[in-house]
Amino acid sequence: MSFTFQLVREDDDSPRAIVFEDSSTPGLVPVWEAAGVYDALYNSDGQVARDVSRRLAYGVDRLNDDPGLANLLPPGLSMEVAIRFLDNVTRACITHGAAHIQTR
């Protein structure tokens, strides 16, 4: 079962809209924990995107700076996949800072 991270815009003048969505495999959980972003990803449901964007950006830096984190990946997954997912989520949180996070 995959993990899905969404950003939802809920303006007074516009209907509710998902402005970002991406998913990842649960096999990345050990990497998220080691990079310090587990809570920002999995326990952020309902929070405003700008409130987690700094923690996520720090995690992207950790993934890029610490090649040893690749040892936490299960077979078949690469650090590039982890970095790409986390970088996409981070950029979306910065771009859509007022959106609310929805996870499933």
Side-chain angles (χ1 to χ4, degrees), residues 78-95:
S78 68
M79 187 57 79
E80 290 79 24
V81 169
I83 291 170
R84 184 174 47 245
F85 171 80
L86 193 57
D87 188 48
N88 287 341
V89 169
T90 302
R91 283 187 284 120
C93 285
I94 292 168
T95 302

Side-chain angles (χ1 to χ4, degrees), residues 14-67:
S14 303
R16 182 178 184 273
I18 296 172
V19 294
F20 173 80
E21 179 176 294
D22 202 352
S23 60
S24 75
T25 175
L28 294 173
V29 167
V31 174
W32 303 147
E33 289 172 335
V37 297
Y38 179 87
D39 283 336
L41 290 172
Y42 285 83
N43 297 323
S44 60
D45 198 55
Q47 291 185 37
V48 177
R50 78 171 63 84
D51 293 344
V52 300
S53 62
R54 283 187 115 164
R55 285 181 278 163
L56 295 172
Y58 171 78
V60 171
D61 289 345
R62 290 260 309 146
L63 293 180
N64 282 311
D65 294 342
D66 188 350

